[in-house]
Every structure is written in C-alpha cells, then in structure tokens.
Amino acid sequence: MKAKRFVIRLLVLIGIAACVEYFVYANNNVAPTEATVEEGHSHGQAPTLTVTHALNQDDLELKIAVTNFSFSLENMGKENKPGEGHVHLYLDGKKVAKVFEPTYVLKDIPSGKHEVMVELANNNHESYGVSQRIPIEVKP
C-alpha cells in the first residue's frame, strides 16, 4: 500500500513538473537573437595602409588611409582588439610620434635626406607588420 501511494505521488509530481515546463518554455515568445557586425572593418581581414605625403619646407604632411583598421586613442595600452590601434611614426629609425587620426604633420624636420616609416600598431604597441617607408629630402 505504501509503495502504491509513493508511485501515485511520484507520478503527480512528474505531471506538475511537465506542466510547469510546458508553460515556461513552450510559451516563451522571445525573438531570435541576431549577430551584429561592427562597422568600419572586417575582423577576418588584415589591415592595409596607404600613405600619401607632401613636404612643405621642413614640415611633412601625411595622409594615412587604412582599411580593416580603426584608430583608437581611448584603448591605447589596453587589451588588443582585432583591427584597432594607432600609428607609430619613425624618422630615421627613431619613434617620433603616435598618431590617432588619418592626417598628421611632422614639423621641423632637419635638412638632409631622411626615411620616414609609418607603421600600424596594436593597442599594446605591438606592430601589425603593416608599414610604409617614405624617403624624403629637406632642403636647407
């Protein structure tokens, strides 16, 4: 007799649990989630860099065109994010600036022949391995 009551109570509990599960999960009208893609660059592709320049006396005006890359001053020194960072600017192998926008003027370059290198860098300053070298000559 005790076993029969136990089985009946067990079946009732299973029935109640099934009803609760049905009402909780079957009537859940949640819209399906959608993946969002950040605009500005594609995470699957490597960044590219194209630099144009104009030398005005001893000032070098740079225009930095990038693809699959976003300039980020606020995340400099923080965790790397694919396709995000800044530019390192070198004059004759010495880092002279960090650039966070697509235009930059390097002022007061000494007269003579020089090599300028523009390099894409991650937030933690590691190179993306993408750079462009520009030979210039500043007249006295």
Side-chain angles (χ1 to χ4, degrees):
M1 190 78 172
K2 288 183 180 181
K4 189 176 181 181
R5 259 191 264 164
F6 176 76
V7 170
I8 292 174
R9 287 181 183 165
L10 184 61
L11 290 174
V12 170
L13 284 175
I14 292 172
I16 291 171
C19 289
V20 169
E21 184 174 342
Y22 172 78
F23 285 111
V24 169
Y25 296 108
N27 292 329
N28 194 357
N29 294 326
V30 176
T33 59
E34 295 180 13
T36 58
V37 177
E38 290 182 32
E39 294 181 18
H41 60 270
S42 171
H43 292 290
Q45 297 178 349
T48 64
L49 169 70
T50 304
V51 181
T52 57
H53 69 284
L55 189 59
N56 293 323
Q57 296 177 2
D58 61 350
D59 294 344
L60 180 65
E61 298 173 357
L62 299 170
K63 291 186 181 176
I64 305 165
V66 294
T67 60
N68 305 317
F69 184 83
S70 298
F71 292 98
S72 177
L73 173 61
E74 61 275 0
N75 289 330
M76 183 178 71
K78 296 182 181 174
E79 181 179 333
N80 288 342
K81 293 182 182 178
E84 183 180 274
H86 55 279
V87 165
H88 288 162
L89 184 62
Y90 297 86
L91 180 65
D92 298 325
K94 180 181 176 189
K95 189 187 304 182
V96 293
K98 295 179 189 98
V99 181
F100 301 93
E101 51 195 35
T103 60
Y104 186 81
V105 178
L106 182 59
K107 296 181 179 260
D108 304 322
I109 301 171
S111 60
K113 292 184 178 183
H114 301 281
E115 183 180 69
V116 175
M117 184 174 78
V118 180
E119 174 187 57
L120 295 182
N122 284 288
N123 291 332
N124 70 352
H125 305 288
E126 291 177 355
S127 175
Y128 271 95
V130 177
S131 64
Q132 184 173 335
R133 295 176 187 275
I134 304 165
I136 61 170
E137 184 174 358
V138 177
K139 303 289 183 189

